[in-house]
Amino acid sequence: MSTAPFAYDSPTSLAVALAALERPGATAVGGGTDLVPRIDEGLAAPVHLVDVRRIPGAREVTELPDGGLRIGAAVRIAELAKHPGIVARFPLLAAAAESVGTPALRNMGTLAGNLLQRPHCWYYRRAMPCFKNGGTSCLAVSGEHQYHGIVAAGTCRSVHASDPATALLALDAVVEVAWVGGGHAIPLEALYEGAAANPDAEAVLGPGELITAILLPAAAANGVQHWEKLMQRGAFDFALVSCAAARRADGTVRMALGGVAAAPWRVALSVEEDVASGGLDAESLDALAERALYDTEPLERNGYKVTMARALLVRAMRALSA
């Protein structure tokens, strides 16, 4: 375990927090449920911790003028699962949050921290020289990969462990990012662009950049929303495969899978459009699920994930059509 000293700040303004994050070795921290284990495992050695939980609005869920929601980056996972506005209008996100880890982890972990957690691949976590830890290849490909990805989108075949991220992808969430002197909002899918090909991170955040909030569009509220997560154990586990699906009030459909790639994986638009058209019998549902997974590339010992994903997609499409 690392015993190197580090500075700690808990700023009460966004400007001060962003200035602190520009210092060499500075790292943002919320609940610390991923950062602390990585420090213990020798995978992180922050010089300066910047606690973001006291930034105004960081712990708040507020309604936007257009009827959408703004969820502060430091809102706890447990709060997402119980917040009346989220439960009523975005039950998909509430269900995904409720499925995260243990009650203790849900009460400590923050939304932004959950979205930015690093891989839980055993090669990476045991500080072996894999692609994400200074090496040039994914050691899991020719090693133990039962729980790894079935989508080859880059060198790394680990899977992203965030359940809320999969739900947020199906809800067309937008990520609010700030830095000294500026900021922007990007679709959640763009946050993970190139996740499997980036050796240093899964998110595209640059030095000094901070997620300040997640925005849920009003158009994604209500409708039919569906969440299902398959785990090796009945609870308190990462997803082998998960599925988030939503039929909006305007009839359009969004579907995403977790546990299959280095980032939450959106189902092809053409499949979503066919689901939205309705009138699907059992044979059509099977064919659409098969088409959705056509480009997957399972490894030698994780082909069962394709079968699981197919079953989850069929159930999700049936739920959206009910």
Side-chain angles (χ1 to χ4, degrees), residues 236-297:
F236 310 151
D237 209 350
F238 298 114
L240 295 173
V241 181
S242 62
C243 182
R247 177 187 285 274
R248 295 181 170 203
D250 65 4
T252 58
V253 165
R254 308 287 191 277
M255 294 189 295
L257 293 174
V260 300
W265 193 65
R266 176 81 176 266
V267 170
L269 177 61
S270 62
V271 174
E272 294 176 338
E273 289 175 341
D274 284 349
V275 175
S277 68
L280 301 173
D281 57 20
E283 184 177 349
S284 298
L285 293 176
D286 288 337
L288 282 173
E290 190 76 26
R291 176 149 60 91
L293 299 168
Y294 179 79
D295 291 328
T296 56
E297 299 179 33

Side-chain angles (χ1 to χ4, degrees), residues 29-126:
V29 62
T33 56
D34 185 58
L35 178 61
V36 171
R38 287 195 294 114
I39 293 173
D40 186 38
E41 293 156 351
L43 298 171
V47 174
H48 186 180
L49 291 182
V50 182
D51 191 331
V52 299
R53 291 174 293 182
R54 297 177 65 199
I55 296 173
R59 295 287 306 276
E60 298 174 3
V61 178
T62 55
E63 186 166 348
L64 299 172
D66 67 353
L69 288 184
R70 181 185 189 274
I71 305 173
V75 170
R76 299 183 190 279
I77 301 301
E79 295 168 341
L80 291 176
K82 304 299 183 186
H83 188 278
I86 294 174
V87 172
R89 301 176 61 217
F90 301 94
L92 169 54
L93 177 57
E98 185 65 35
S99 72
V100 172
T102 64
L105 287 173
R106 292 194 293 273
N107 278 287
M108 292 176 62
T110 62
L111 177 56
N114 187 272
L115 298 182
L116 297 177
Q117 63 186 292
R118 298 303 313 277
H120 290 270
C121 165
W122 39 62
Y123 292 105
Y124 171 72
R125 291 285 170 162
R126 292 175 184 172

Side-chain angles (χ1 to χ4, degrees), residues 113-160:
N114 187 272
L115 298 182
L116 297 177
Q117 63 186 292
R118 298 303 313 277
H120 290 270
C121 165
W122 39 62
Y123 292 105
Y124 171 72
R125 291 285 170 162
R126 292 175 184 172
M128 300 184 73
C130 69
F131 178 69
K132 293 284 187 176
N133 198 38
T136 59
S137 64
C138 179
L139 300 179
V141 171
S142 59
E144 295 295 326
H145 53 242
Q146 298 94 310
Y147 307 129
H148 285 68
I150 56 176
V151 175
T155 303
C156 180
R157 294 297 291 264
S158 67
V159 297
H160 202 282

Side-chain angles (χ1 to χ4, degrees), residues 198-222:
N198 183 350
D200 301 315
E202 291 65 57
V204 297
L205 296 181
E209 293 185 353
L210 178 70
I211 293 177
T212 53
I214 305 298
L215 310 179
L216 291 174
N222 304 316

Side-chain angles (χ1 to χ4, degrees), residues 151-214:
V151 175
T155 303
C156 180
R157 294 297 291 264
S158 67
V159 297
H160 202 282
S162 173
D163 295 317
T166 305
L168 289 168
L169 179 56
L171 292 169
D172 279 346
V174 172
V175 182
E176 199 178 79
V177 180
W179 58 83
V180 171
H184 64 188
I186 60 173
L188 182 124
E189 189 169 12
L191 178 69
Y192 298 113
E193 186 174 353
N198 183 350
D200 301 315
E202 291 65 57
V204 297
L205 296 181
E209 293 185 353
L210 178 70
I211 293 177
T212 53
I214 305 298

